[in-house]
Amino acid sequence: QVHLVESGGGLVQPGGSLKLSCAASGSISTVYFMGWYRQTPGKQRDLVGDVDNNGRRTMDDSVIGRFTVSRDHAKNTVELQMNRLKPEDSAVYYCKLEGLDMNGIRRDYWGQGTQVTVSS
């Protein structure tokens, strides 16, 4: 079993910054992607940004230039640095890991989610 533990959410004023961290533990054969998604009530969970095994980043257009995702491949950790936050960035942020379990089956693993609220 793989567990993802997130930290770093909270309340911040518009224009402020927050950093989210996620650490994976457990047995996994191969990690393909690690990254972050976010979800607001009544809406689907959408990609914020992720990093593949070659270091390629995919970022949602709405966060380019403001958010940075970084991954430590050796430690199976991923961070999301969020700058110039806007009220519309408020959401529950989820860490995600895509990879192969010890039986070679491709699986998605999710963290428990951390609330980010941008408000004055």
Side-chain angles (χ1 to χ4, degrees):
Q1 185 66 293
V2 174
H3 297 280
L4 303 180
V5 178
E6 302 147 346
S7 61
L11 173 65
V12 64
Q13 292 187 341
S17 298
L18 277 176
K19 187 175 186 178
L20 306 182
S21 299
C22 173
S25 62
S27 298
I28 189 161
S29 172
T30 304
V31 178
Y32 292 130
F33 295 89
M34 287 193 76
W36 294 91
Y37 285 67
R38 64 186 178 186
Q39 188 173 27
T40 54
K43 295 191 176 181
Q44 68 180 21
R45 196 172 294 184
D46 292 325
L47 175 70
V48 178
D50 65 14
V51 184
D52 71 10
N53 276 352
N54 294 310
R56 282 190 297 259
R57 291 173 172 77
T58 301
M59 305 295 293
D60 181 73
D61 286 346
S62 68
V63 305
I64 290 174
R66 301 187 299 122
F67 292 10
T68 302
V69 60
S70 57
R71 174 182 164 186
D72 187 320
H73 297 256
K75 297 180 179 179
N76 284 336
T77 60
V78 64
E79 295 181 334
L80 182 67
Q81 177 66 48
M82 302 183 291
N83 299 325
R84 291 164 31 214
L85 281 157
K86 304 176 182 180
E88 52 264 42
D89 295 317
S90 298
V92 178
Y93 283 69
Y94 295 90
C95 175
K96 181 183 178 184
L97 183 155
E98 298 178 44
L100 298 180
D101 66 14
M102 299 307 289
N103 295 315
I105 298 173
R106 186 154 184 157
R107 296 192 184 277
D108 293 341
Y109 299 95
W110 294 92
Q112 79 280 5
T114 185
Q115 178 71 46
V116 171
T117 302
V118 185
S119 175
S120 55

